[in-house]
Amino acid sequence: MKTRFALVALVAACLLTPTAALAQRPEAQRPERPEQTERPERPERREAAIDGVKTRCLNQIDRRQRALSADKARLEKARFLTDAHQAALEAINNQTSSGLARLADVIQGEDNVEELRAECRQIVEGFRVFALVRPRSRLVTASDRAIAATTKLGGVADRIQAAIDQAKAENRDTAAAEASLATMRAAIATAASDAGGVYEAVIHLTPADYNANNAVLDRPRGKVRSARDSLKQAIAAGRDARQSLKASAT
Amino acid sequence: MIVRKTLRVLALAGLLAFGGAACGDKTVTTPPTASAETTLVTDTDSGVSTVANVDTEKSTATASDATDDARLNEVDQMLRDIEADLGAADQDADTPEGDPTR
């Protein structure tokens, strides 16, 4: 009995010892492996991560600088944009562009990841090139164009009035022409009023204003749309008035 | 003697006839002058001047129409430009600014 127990114990010992040895070996080696590989890699990885973020951020700044340059070129050629409005928009573009250039220098020299992330967020939140600067420029251009259009249409309306006066002197029926002219003049006045307030509504807006209220350009944009619709109505009414005058002459 | 007198008379008559014919031709072949035209218009002032006035009015009216057409067409073009500005403003506003760090 004792001999059988001893044999069983021997067999068990033979089987378990290598298993325990195998199980212990990786445990002993595990801490060594990461220490050997990670210790020299950590600073490199960190540096590579910083460089990656820097590249992405600097690319985003370049993208905005290109957009501002394109807007500047467009403003220089924009017809009907008043000189004062053009100067104000160009000043904003220049300030935005130089601000982004300074930020690019800061980002280039940054070696702290957290600081770098905060500086990169400033590219968007501190300048709002696509959400505010460029749309504002377009809205001012469009509203100045609309105001110039009301002046031109006013001249046409005056000529139609003169034609109506002449037709009246010749005892022709001018009722339809007069009604169309009244519609035309009302539409011109509405367009002038809507377009006239756009510049003041948008020119002083800052990125902080946009950050506080993302819909800050919605109302001025609606005013330009409304002015456009009124101009369409004025043109149609002017053509109707002229047609009525021609019909009364035959 | 009689023959000489007859020949002189004939020669004189011939000269007169040639001179008269030449004068007649000159009258016919002279091209009309500006003064002749002016005389014609003033002679028939009632008819001609009325036609001239109507023509002037028509041409003035046509010129006025053309000017108005041109101005209305120009405003039409300005409307298209306003439309383009609005479209571009919308497109810019829709451009995702995103997070440059990601």
Side-chain angles (χ1 to χ4, degrees), chain A residues 111-179:
Chain A
D111 56 2
N112 180 296
V113 177
E114 290 311 312
E115 292 290 325
L116 180 60
R117 287 187 189 283
E119 285 152 7
C120 286
R121 275 193 292 276
Q122 277 302 300
I123 297 169
V124 174
E125 293 165 8
F127 297 94
R128 291 295 181 192
V129 171
F130 294 111
L132 176 64
V133 176
R134 279 182 35 127
R136 165 177 40 209
S137 172
R138 288 284 189 172
L139 291 180
V140 171
T141 308
S143 62
D144 276 13
R145 218 188 287 277
I147 292 166
T150 62
T151 306
K152 282 186 187 293
L153 286 175
V156 175
D158 290 345
R159 294 162 74 94
I160 291 172
Q161 182 64 63
I164 287 173
D165 292 344
Q166 191 179 335
K168 266 186 175 175
E170 293 165 5
N171 292 321
R172 282 153 51 191
D173 181 7
T174 59
E178 283 181 85

Side-chain angles (χ1 to χ4, degrees), chain B:
Chain B
M1 192 68 180
I2 292 170
V3 173
R4 274 186 186 173
K5 273 187 182 177
T6 307
L7 284 171
R8 277 179 190 166
V9 168
L10 283 172
L12 187 61
L15 280 172
L16 285 171
F18 179 78
C23 285
D25 283 350
K26 198 174 186 180
T27 309
V28 171
T29 54
T30 302
T33 60
S35 64
E37 278 185 347
T38 308
T39 307
L40 182 67
V41 172
T42 48
D43 281 351
T44 53
D45 60 352
S46 57
V48 172
S49 68
T50 306
V51 169
N53 285 344
V54 168
D55 282 349
T56 309
E57 278 172 18
K58 272 185 184 171
S59 63
T60 306
T62 307
S64 173
D65 282 355
T67 304
D68 287 349
D69 275 340
R71 283 188 181 178
L72 289 173
N73 288 339
E74 193 177 357
V75 177
D76 263 338
Q77 179 57 49
M78 290 166 83
L79 273 175
R80 284 192 285 277
D81 292 340
I82 290 169
E83 203 72 56
D85 282 330
L86 281 168
D90 287 347
Q91 196 178 342
D92 275 337
D94 291 340
T95 302
E97 291 197 296
D99 183 353
T101 61
R102 290 186 183 168

Side-chain angles (χ1 to χ4, degrees), chain A residues 1-14:
Chain A
M1 187 69 180
K2 279 184 182 176
T3 310
R4 193 179 289 172
F5 178 77
L7 276 172
V8 170
L10 186 63
V11 170
C14 286

Side-chain angles (χ1 to χ4, degrees), chain A residues 202-217:
Chain A
V202 300
I203 201 67
H204 303 297
L205 291 175
T206 63
D209 293 327
Y210 179 88
N211 295 338
N213 174 18
N214 287 359
V216 78
L217 286 180

